[in-house]
Amino acid sequence: MPLHSPFRRLQARGLRHPLSRRQLLRQGFLGLGLIGLGATLRGCGNSSGSAAGPITSARGRLQIPPLASAPDENGLLIPQGFRSRVLAQANQPVAGTGFVWHTDPDAGAVYPAADGGWVYVSNREFVPGGVNALRFDAQGEITSAYTVLPGALSRINCGGGVTPWNTWLSGEEYELGLIWECDPFDTTGTAVQSWRGCGTFAHEAVAIDPASNIFYLTEDESDGRFYRFVPTTPNIGGRPSTDGVLEALQVMTAEDINLEGARGPWPVQWRPIPVPNPLGAVIEDIPLGQTPTRYQVPETTAFRGGEGLWFQNGIVYFTTKSDRRVWAHDVAAGTLEVIYDDAFFQPEPVLDSVDNIVMTPGGDIVVVEDKSEANQQAVAILADGRLAVLVQLVGHEGSEVTGPAFSPDGRFFYCSSQRGPGNGNSTGTAGITYAIEGPWFRP
């Protein structure tokens, strides 16, 4: 289904911003056909291939009561009638396990287990980096904690993504960063592999189209590119080959897509990257060792700090932090469109920062914020057009909300405060991971 542009139609009728924020956003989502999507969450099976069942309540649509009037005992503003608990805190043993939790928790995801429990994985955005995991039983209680990607192998692990074959891809966010694959159920931390075909650059998030096994990747640079990796052997339904072609997106328009009010949709094409891993590489005797991946094809489009990424129902959604946008790339139509920009909803948008994202089966997009203020939030752009706050940190100056994910049964929303409560905690020293329990999904 191709994307449509309700914003463009409104402009054509001479209505620049004629609707309320809620009405305009609803028009946008109706035009994009996001109402009532029924796709299941990616990662709804475990590493052995068995599935534990996706969120199905009312086709996976969120229901979020207003926030309580005061913070709870953990310093969080959460929906009325919900409750939170601390799962793990930096430099302290996870309760009942003896496993010391990492500082600087970042992107995360949930993987159902055959016994009715699940695993939550969490990146560490520091040096050393790595990925740790919490194992839960069917009641949501922690039974163990362990490392799935050692920090000795990776560093500054920021974003990531789940695979259709139920592993975790973790991105290193620095100039020489790679994508690392690990198994959420591997308690030894040895089932790991790097994906050099996905390129060497400041990786953020990854999402995979299960119909083609094509990887989509964001780059956290002020002029970063939006990439895709096309495996030579897709092996649909399984794990593809690690060799293939890395490409970057070029938006085919004379319009400046960075101008305020620019929305699209615009046609796009993909341009092959000559040297995905430039260090020490040579093309026709010209050394490219100092040419970053994003500069090798100047015609490709620069994006202002690529962040969260999700694939659902043929659409690739991703965020860019510097212009506070959510984009939608329609794979079949070959188009790109801006579906959220806080500039559309001034003067006081509910969501004024974008970072990691997670989507529900019903088409709701949960976006977490990374900004200097203490009121960091996780905000849902609901499929019916409303904005709703899931959680707000209180007294976490200089932190950010990270690692959004829901438990398979929909009871728990997981997230972290990367640098924890306090005023400007430095990196490498703090971080706290929470579970917020309540009836998140419609009965």
Side-chain angles (χ1 to χ4, degrees):
M1 177 183 62
L3 293 177
H4 304 288
S5 179
F7 304 116
R8 176 168 290 177
R9 292 197 297 271
L10 289 170
Q11 287 180 319
R13 293 199 299 264
L15 304 176
R16 178 168 176 78
H17 294 293
L19 304 178
S20 69
R21 180 183 313 156
R22 174 174 172 176
Q23 290 170 323
L24 187 56
L25 189 59
R26 176 172 175 78
Q27 290 278 2
F29 274 79
L30 284 169
L32 287 169
L34 300 182
I35 302 296
L37 294 181
T40 57
L41 288 173
R42 304 301 175 204
C44 286
N46 67 18
S47 60
S48 64
S50 59
I55 298 166
T56 57
S57 299
R59 301 180 72 192
R61 292 288 307 283
L62 283 169
Q63 62 171 9
I64 306 174
L67 296 187
S69 58
D72 67 4
E73 65 274 13
N74 293 316
L76 304 179
L77 282 173
I78 59 176
Q80 298 172 9
F82 289 45
R83 70 183 185 94
S84 74
R85 76 178 193 268
V86 173
L87 295 176
Q89 195 160 352
N91 301 316
Q92 295 185 20
V94 176
T97 71
F99 182 86
V100 177
W101 198 239
H102 54 285
T103 67
D104 309 275
D106 208 290
V110 167
Y111 295 79
D115 63 3
W118 56 88
V119 170
Y120 175 73
V121 296
S122 174
N123 281 354
R124 186 191 190 205
E125 190 184 9
F126 196 63
V127 181
V131 182
N132 291 326
L134 299 173
R135 181 70 156 88
F136 296 88
D137 62 21
Q139 288 70 49
E141 298 299 322
I142 295 174
T143 61
S144 62
Y146 48 90
T147 295
V148 294
L149 174 62
L153 293 178
S154 61
R155 63 180 65 187
I156 316 178
N157 297 79
C158 190
V162 298
T163 70
W165 53 96
N166 301 310
T167 58
W168 174 245
L169 298 174
S170 181
E172 297 178 303
E173 189 195 340
Y174 74 111
E175 191 74 23
L176 304 181
L178 298 173
I179 292 293
W180 288 85
E181 182 180 9
C182 52
D183 182 348
F185 293 85
D186 172 33
T187 59
T188 68
T190 59
V192 299
Q193 177 176 326
S194 63
W195 281 78
R196 295 189 63 81
C198 288
T200 298
F201 54 86
H203 282 280
E204 186 69 29
V206 191
I208 298 176
D209 177 354
S212 64
N213 270 350
I214 291 176
F215 293 52
Y216 293 89
L217 309 110
T218 51
E219 181 178 24
D220 192 358
E221 297 280 3
S222 61
D223 56 355
R225 268 50 174 178
F226 181 49
Y227 300 92
R228 73 177 186 182
F229 170 68
V230 183
T232 301
T233 306
N235 189 30
I236 308 305
R239 188 175 185 274
S241 63
T242 58
D243 61 315
V245 178
L246 183 69
E247 301 173 323
L249 190 78
Q250 180 181 4
V251 181
M252 305 300 292
T253 180
E255 182 180 0
D256 184 352
I257 68 172
N258 293 314
L259 288 178
E260 182 175 334
R263 298 177 172 112
W266 305 283
V268 302
Q269 71 174 10
W270 294 93
R271 305 289 296 268
I273 299 297
V275 185
N277 309 106
L279 280 184
V282 174
I283 292 183
E284 297 179 355
D285 299 322
I286 301 173
L288 295 179
Q290 301 304 314
T291 302
T293 309
R294 66 187 183 278
Y295 296 146
Q296 291 182 23
V297 185
E299 297 83 2
T300 56
T301 300
F303 292 92
R304 296 180 175 179
E307 292 285 348
L309 186 62
W310 195 267
F311 183 95
Q312 188 154 298
N313 280 26
I315 309 293
V316 186
Y317 302 90
F318 66 97
T319 64
T320 49
K321 62 185 178 184
S322 294
D323 49 15
R324 301 165 303 282
R325 286 178 166 181
V326 181
W327 305 75
H329 166 49
D330 187 315
V331 172
T335 57
L336 181 71
E337 182 168 6
V338 179
I339 63 170
Y340 180 85
D341 185 330
D342 72 346
F344 298 163
F345 310 113
Q346 296 297 333
E348 295 181 1
V350 174
L351 175 64
D352 59 2
S353 173
V354 300
D355 202 301
N356 294 167
I357 62 173
V358 64
M359 287 188 70
T360 72
D364 308 309
I365 306 174
V366 177
V367 186
V368 294
E369 295 186 316
D370 174 10
K371 56 187 181 181
S372 59
E373 295 90 341
N375 62 330
Q376 310 276 354
Q377 300 177 125
V379 180
I381 306 174
L382 299 176
D384 64 7
R386 293 175 296 120
L387 300 183
V389 180
L390 285 76
V391 60
Q392 178 176 315
L393 305 181
V394 178
H396 292 235
E397 188 74 31
S399 187
E400 60 184 276
V401 183
T402 60
F406 289 97
S407 62
D409 58 9
R411 285 186 297 150
F412 299 97
F413 175 67
Y414 299 115
C415 64
S416 295
S417 171
Q418 190 173 74
R419 284 172 288 282
N423 188 356
N425 292 324
S426 61
T427 57
T429 64
I432 188 166
T433 301
Y434 303 97
I436 301 158
E437 181 179 4
W440 289 107
F441 291 86
R442 296 180 182 180

